[in-house]
Amino acid sequence: MPHVISRTPRMAQSGHPSGLPTDRNIPPSVTRVIVKTAGKQEEFMIADNILVSQFKEKLSAHFKCQMDQLVLVFMGRLLKDHDTLGQRGILDGHTIHLVIKSKHRSRSLAHSSQNLLTKDPCHRDRNTKGNNNGVYQPADVSHTPVESALPMDPDVPKVQTQDLEMDSPECIEQMLQNPSIQQLLSNLGLMRQFISEHPDMQQWMQQNPEVSHLLENSEILRQTLELARNLAMIQEIMQIEQPEQTIEHPLSPQSYSDLETMPGGDNALDQSSADCNNHMLNSLQDPFGGNPFTALLGGHVLEPAQSSPPSPPQPQKRQDQLPQLPTTRVIYTSSRGLSSNTSANVDPNKVSHTSSASTTAISTEGWSHNCAIQQPDGVPALPSIELTQQPQGEDKDTTISLNSSDQKLEGDPQLSDEQTSSQITGSMMQLLLNNPYLAAQMMLFITMPQLSEQCRQQLPTFLQQTELSDTLLALANPRASQAILQIEQGLQLLATEAPVLLPWVAPYLWGLGWLPSPSCS
Amino acid sequence: MEPPNLYPVKLYVYDLSKGLARRLSPIMLGKQLEGIWHTSIVVHKDEFFFGSGGISSCPPGGTLLGPPDSVVDVGSTEVTEELFLEYLSSLGESLFRSVLQTFLTMYRSEAYNLFEHNCNTFTNEVAQFLTGRKIPSYITDLPSEILSTPFGQALRPLLDSIQIQPPGGSAVGRPNGQS
């Protein structure tokens, strides 16, 4: 049909802007189409049966743009690449509308991945589409996640991340699953560079020199990330140790003694979460204290328990936790040591280097050192702890050199080890909220798929919540933290008492990291 | 191949004179005009129109003119909202995109002319882009009808300076472009 029509010369065609009589000299199979774009129009002589994709090639050369920027519209229909013009009924003299998409407006994962590395990965979901007012907003401008610029200023969330196109958790997940990105992120040197060069990070580092020490030691970084991930395990280990009375463990008596000092030392720290810390401590000190919140905190400690990366996360990881004991030990002891409000900048490196065995603990120590030291600052301590929270697949053998930790412990006056640990748990969330980009960066070190997925899924929610200053304030409320602990404790009890009921509270468990959330990729 | 989404395209027609034209036109112009038509395109649950402030959009019927006097079904389109906004942006600021053109392009706010280049011109073009069909001719023929009367000719200088911009819309265009 189209061929036939094109052969017959057509006189002026009504309704078409060009309206020129068809030139009889036109070869039969060639059609003259008018391409209209953005206020101008041009004519093209093309073969009738040309593919749309071929036509696009011509157009891209003519308009000096790329083929994927071109969108052809005819009679209100989008022309697909595999169609021919004839198929779509494009005849001689017809007008095809062309829209040249702009490049910068498109959300490219590559671009956003770069942003992700340094900026807040995930906040409100805003689409490329303009909102219903028809006000057109480029996607990369529409996004301003709330984020406190400095750890020192936790209660004043500032919105100063740059444009981030990763608005949705799905985008982030997709991005994270990209192996090239994972590879990039696993490049510690590069990551360190990213972290160090971030302005917020630099500020933070100025205020807390230990952080720079830590960052300079890639081992610490890696271990910290592992430890962060294992923190839940560590906590569970702590809990396990409690009933098990691991006396054989050289550190245990010490740790307990340290813990004992907690209540007293707790007062020294003027933290909003001091109460929580206290409770945490008490839980750890079950045999020692009769604090009503003991069980609460014990459950809290247990709640995020996750097995070491090699083994899949299971609620009953206690057996698996045993090898982790040393890690936990060291962590807490070191944190205790640090928590002593010796503002003396305990050199985390020193601690780390003293440990000869698994670096995991060392990194934890280092980080918890930071935590403790920064406790008075509140939030700054959290980043380090948060880092320890991030799961990491490497280096799971946590054979901590207790000796080193012993030295550490003895050296430092013992204060709120518990506070540290409680900060680790309770404040970790705050830290995550305050430094979501840090969290995201740490997330990228996650090698354990399950845990990483959980964290990924949790993180967007956290980060979304960071935009709510009242959420931050709520978390700062010790009673709120206690409430969260209670929930975790309840779940813990439920898991032990009636696991069959767990599916009822599955959503809560997902959020708390008990169960792997359904994949949302 | 999944079926493409079809979005209905409607033409909202407003009588700016609110009936006065129908009554007074025989006297003043010597011919019957049913109305002074202002049109807008409604697609993707948004109303788009062109006025002296450039291309604007609002929720359907959201301008100060209120609900339309009549609604014409133009057809349906596959063009997605994103693509459509892209198209509008390019319409609105084609000065910068055009390499060949040296004159001001079509639908910047300065380009508004009550007779030659008005809301209906815009609507017509958009309708053709979206569906391939034009808007009813009685709308597009209005300026020529007026100008064909002695009254219209006499008042042309005055009428030329009139710029109609129904309030209630917000600008559509690139952030750094003209509205």
Side-chain angles (χ1 to χ4, degrees):
Chain A
M1 274 304 182
H3 294 276
V4 173
I5 294 178
S6 65
R7 284 200 191 95
T8 60
R10 290 171 64 146
M11 306 314 289
Q13 294 149 17
S14 62
H16 292 292
S18 58
L20 296 174
T22 309
D23 188 347
R24 294 166 198 244
N25 293 334
I26 293 177
S29 62
V30 174
T31 329
R32 181 178 50 90
V33 296
I34 299 149
V35 175
K36 209 169 174 186
T37 181
K40 62 183 195 282
Q41 63 185 49
E42 301 186 13
E43 290 182 7
F44 286 86
M45 310 284 290
I46 50 174
D48 213 10
N49 51 358
I50 195 175
L51 281 179
V52 171
S53 49
Q54 294 166 337
F55 189 39
K56 276 190 179 178
E57 281 175 21
K58 263 186 102 165
L59 292 175
S60 69
H62 184 83
F63 290 102
K64 300 187 186 37
C65 57
Q66 297 190 359
M67 271 183 61
D68 53 0
Q69 286 179 277
L70 299 177
V71 178
L72 293 172
V73 180
F74 180 69
M75 296 299 289
R77 302 287 179 269
L78 299 173
L79 299 184
K80 310 236 187 308
D81 285 355
H82 53 75
D83 288 336
T84 70
L85 294 189
Q87 268 181 348
R88 306 302 300 217
I90 297 175
L91 307 175
D92 198 34
H94 281 179
T95 302
I96 303 177
H97 295 271
L98 168 72
V99 179
I100 302 177
K101 295 199 277 201
S102 75
K103 262 191 181 176
H104 88 280
R105 194 167 302 148
S106 64
R107 291 184 170 193
S108 60
L109 279 184
H111 179 50
S112 54
S113 71
Q114 287 302 315
N115 287 343
L116 178 64
L117 294 179
T118 54
K119 294 158 194 165
D120 195 332
C122 169
H123 276 270
R124 282 195 203 97
D125 195 3
R126 293 201 199 180
N127 294 328
T128 315
K129 297 182 183 182
N131 53 35
N132 283 338
N133 291 335
V135 177
Y136 189 81
Q137 295 173 348
D140 52 354
V141 171
S142 65
H143 199 70
T144 53
V146 173
E147 176 185 14
S148 52
L150 288 177
M152 299 300 295
D153 198 2
D155 54 342
V156 180
K158 293 181 197 164
V159 181
Q160 288 323 321
T161 55
Q162 297 171 16
D163 312 333
L164 188 62
E165 295 159 339
M166 305 297 284
D167 296 333
S168 65
E170 297 79 30
C171 287
I172 294 180
E173 273 217 285
Q174 278 180 17
M175 212 201 60
L176 290 175
Q177 284 162 4
N178 186 344
S180 61
I181 291 176
Q182 286 176 351
Q183 191 183 5
L184 174 75
L185 296 167
S186 59
N187 180 347
L188 263 180
L190 193 60
M191 289 311 301
R192 190 185 316 131
Q193 194 180 356
F194 278 132
I195 298 174
S196 332
E197 289 175 3
H198 195 283
D200 284 354
M201 193 70 190
Q202 283 171 346
Q203 253 170 333
W204 182 34
M205 275 165 50
Q206 284 168 10
Q207 293 148 4
N208 305 288
E210 307 83 33
V211 177
S212 54
H213 291 156
L214 287 164
L215 285 179
E216 284 157 17
N217 186 334
S218 63
E219 258 197 359
I220 291 182
L221 275 178
R222 192 183 313 116
Q223 293 151 11
T224 300
L225 299 174
E226 260 190 51
L227 200 59
R229 204 187 201 199
N230 297 338
L231 188 62
M233 289 188 288
I234 291 166
Q235 289 167 349
E236 186 175 310
I237 292 171
M238 294 294 293
Q239 183 69 9
I240 296 168
E241 292 180 45
Q242 209 173 342
E244 290 175 351
Q245 305 252 347
T246 57
I247 302 177
E248 61 274 13
H249 206 294
L251 280 183
S252 59
Q254 198 163 9
S255 56
Y256 282 120
S257 59
D258 293 337
L259 292 175
E260 263 182 320
T261 63
M262 284 318 214
D266 187 23
N267 299 331
L269 287 182
D270 190 5
Q271 294 283 336
S272 60
S273 58
D275 294 347
C276 265
N277 297 342
N278 210 2
H279 296 314
M280 268 290 281
L281 177 61
N282 290 330
S283 71
L284 294 173
Q285 287 184 350
D286 207 357
F288 299 91
N291 190 298
F293 287 93
T294 294
L296 172 82
L297 288 173
H300 176 63
V301 171
L302 272 177
E303 172 277 329
Q306 294 177 5
S307 63
S308 55
S311 54
Q314 300 160 3
Q316 56 283 13
K317 297 181 183 82
R318 311 202 178 186
Q319 312 89 11
D320 301 331
Q321 300 306 329
L322 287 178
Q324 302 292 335
L325 281 177
T327 306
T328 312
R329 263 297 110 76
V330 177
I331 293 170
Y332 282 95
T333 52
S334 60
S335 61
R336 269 176 255 136
L338 292 176
S339 57
S340 69
N341 273 336
T342 57
S343 59
N345 293 335
V346 178
D347 187 355
N349 285 338
K350 178 178 71 169
V351 178
S352 59
H353 292 318
T354 53
S355 164
S356 57
S358 166
T359 51
T360 308
I362 296 172
S363 58
T364 312
E365 287 181 17
W367 282 111
S368 40
H369 281 293
N370 267 342
C371 294
I373 292 172
Q374 298 170 4
Q375 269 185 3
D377 303 333
V379 180
L382 301 178
S384 57
I385 301 174
E386 169 199 346
L387 293 175
T388 67
Q389 294 275 349
Q390 300 306 323
Q392 183 183 2
E394 311 174 20
D395 205 1
K396 289 308 171 179
D397 51 336
T398 58
T399 59
I400 302 169
S401 66
L402 305 170
N403 299 330
S404 56
S405 46
D406 283 345
Q407 300 165 6
K408 202 53 203 188
L409 292 171
E410 292 160 359
D412 298 327
Q414 283 137 16
L415 270 181
S416 52
D417 159 318
E418 176 188 22
Q419 288 179 357
T420 309
S421 54
S422 60
Q423 278 188 344
I424 292 176
T425 54
S427 311
M428 180 261 296
M429 285 177 59
Q430 278 191 4
L431 181 66
L432 270 177
L433 298 177
N434 291 332
N435 297 282
Y437 56 88
L438 273 185
Q441 287 169 348
M442 297 314 144
M443 292 266 316
L444 300 173
F445 287 94
I446 294 169
T447 58
M448 184 171 184
Q450 279 168 314
L451 286 178
S452 66
E453 171 137 15
Q454 291 174 18
C455 285
R456 268 181 235 153
Q457 289 161 356
Q458 297 161 21
L459 187 64
T461 315
F462 286 151
L463 297 178
Q464 285 173 13
Q465 291 171 353
T466 62
E467 297 181 322
L468 307 174
S469 55
D470 46 356
T471 306
L472 292 172
L473 292 175
L475 281 174
N477 183 352
R479 283 182 291 282
S481 313
Q482 290 174 19
I484 295 175
L485 289 178
Q486 284 187 13
I487 293 173
E488 293 174 345
Q489 166 67 4
L491 287 173
Q492 167 65 14
L493 282 177
L494 191 65
T496 51
E497 301 291 333
V500 67
L501 294 177
L502 278 181
W504 288 14
V505 293
Y508 305 103
L509 293 181
W510 297 336
L512 293 172
W514 277 58
L515 300 179
S517 308
S519 168
C520 66
S521 56
Chain B
M1 187 158 75
E2 70 275 11
N5 293 328
L6 286 185
Y7 309 100
V9 181
K10 300 257 187 284
L11 182 76
Y12 278 18
V13 184
Y14 302 85
D15 179 8
L16 292 179
S17 68
K18 297 286 183 203
L20 286 180
R22 192 182 315 124
R23 296 225 217 103
L24 299 181
S25 61
I27 304 170
M28 299 182 69
L29 295 183
K31 60 164 66 171
Q32 176 73 33
L33 286 182
E34 296 301 319
I36 309 293
W37 306 117
H38 164 82
T39 55
S40 58
I41 285 280
V42 174
V43 65
H44 299 293
K45 313 233 178 3
D46 278 325
E47 180 175 349
F48 298 91
F49 54 92
F50 175 66
S52 53
I55 302 177
S56 311
S57 78
C58 65
T63 66
L64 209 56
L65 298 171
D69 293 294
S70 64
V71 177
V72 177
D73 183 14
V74 185
S76 53
T77 186
E78 280 183 12
V79 175
T80 64
E81 181 169 352
E82 178 182 354
L83 189 63
F84 184 54
L85 291 174
E86 182 102 33
Y87 167 76
L88 289 181
S89 296
S90 64
L91 273 190
E93 60 141 73
S94 13
L95 175 68
F96 301 103
R97 292 168 65 96
S98 160
V99 178
L100 306 175
Q101 274 181 252
T102 56
F103 51 90
L104 277 180
T105 318
M106 319 291 281
Y107 292 100
R108 295 157 56 87
S109 57
E110 305 86 71
Y112 184 88
N113 178 283
L114 187 66
F115 284 117
E116 312 287 331
H117 201 72
N118 56 18
C119 52
N120 303 328
T121 323
F122 166 79
T123 313
N124 202 12
E125 186 152 343
V126 172
Q128 285 185 63
F129 168 75
L130 285 178
T131 66
R133 295 162 56 180
K134 296 186 156 192
I135 65 179
S137 58
Y138 69 87
I139 298 171
T140 49
D141 292 341
L142 184 67
S144 58
E145 289 226 0
I146 293 181
L147 289 178
S148 68
T149 68
F151 180 78
Q153 288 290 337
L155 285 188
R156 176 162 191 176
L158 175 65
L159 296 174
D160 257 347
S161 67
I162 293 178
Q163 306 230 314
I164 296 182
Q165 173 67 20
S170 43
V172 174
R174 299 183 198 275
N176 54 349
Q178 314 294 322
S179 65

